Amino acid sequence: MSKSNSKASDAKVLSTEPLFTSKPNRVFSVGQTRPKDSPIDGVGIVAILQKASGPELLLQKQFRPPVNKAVIEIPAGLVDAGESAADSAVRELREETGYHGEVSEVSPIMFNDPGFCNTNLNMVHVTVDMTLPENQSLKPELEENEFIEVFSLPLKDLYAGCKRLEEQGYAIDARVGTLAEGIELARRWNL
């Protein structure tokens, strides 16, 4: 059966046993990044810079060994024990970028890749007032193993910007790509 001609009626049942009673073909390792008192591992931060020219999404370039490329990402990080998603986002934003922002929204819990792992997060929307003095002279507090370049793109140009960055050899993180796709779909469908 070729993929282009596949129809549901051509499918056949290989097994009706419960999914997780047979031995898996893969080895799964179990790691723990979620604090015991938290429903989430981390936060993704949708930081919007309020600029006179229009809103811009704060982004980062960070080398990631698993893909052997610099990746275009939103600021993100793990929550600490006893910390809310909102508090974690404000802390991580300040540590990774130097910006100070105000939380306006916390998403439902989202799973990054549930077919592979149980890592989850809240997307936290943060507004950054560029007129505030603390957002003029930025002082990130990077950890010893963090090497992050911070930049921003106008929201209206995010989709085209992602395409351009990919052509330049960068990998696009799924959270950034999904935001760009959402904005592009809203534009195309006049939503």
Side-chain angles (χ1 to χ4, degrees), residues 9 11 18 21 45 49 54 61 101 104 107 143 145 149 154 183-184:
S9 61
T21 60
I45 306 159
L49 306 181
K61 293 177 184 174
S104 61
S107 78
E143 294 176 21
N145 63 345
E149 180 184 333
I183 292 167
E184 188 63 15

Side-chain angles (χ1 to χ4, degrees), residues 47-58 99 127-131 135-136 138 150-155:
I48 304 298
L49 306 181
Q50 294 177 315
K51 293 190 171 184
S53 58
E56 295 192 8
L57 179 64
L58 185 63
Y99 282 108
T127 303
V128 177
D129 183 345
M130 297 300 289
T131 65
N135 289 327
Q136 303 304 311
L138 304 177
V150 177
F151 70 107
S152 63
L153 285 175
L155 278 177

Side-chain angles (χ1 to χ4, degrees), residues 62-125:
Q62 188 167 190
F63 182 79
R64 296 296 190 180
V67 295
N68 198 31
K69 288 184 175 188
V71 180
I72 306 302
E73 304 172 338
I74 56 173
L78 297 173
V79 296
D80 289 338
E83 189 175 45
S84 70
D87 290 342
S88 178
V90 169
R91 175 184 54 77
E92 286 287 350
L93 182 68
R94 187 183 65 254
E95 288 175 2
E96 290 190 357
T97 71
Y99 282 108
H100 295 257
E102 186 174 313
V103 173
S104 61
E105 180 78 25
V106 176
S107 78
I109 294 173
M110 299 179 183
F111 288 84
N112 298 349
D113 195 348
F116 178 68
C117 66
N118 72 346
T119 304
N120 68 10
L121 56 76
N122 288 120
M123 295 292 280
V124 181
H125 303 197

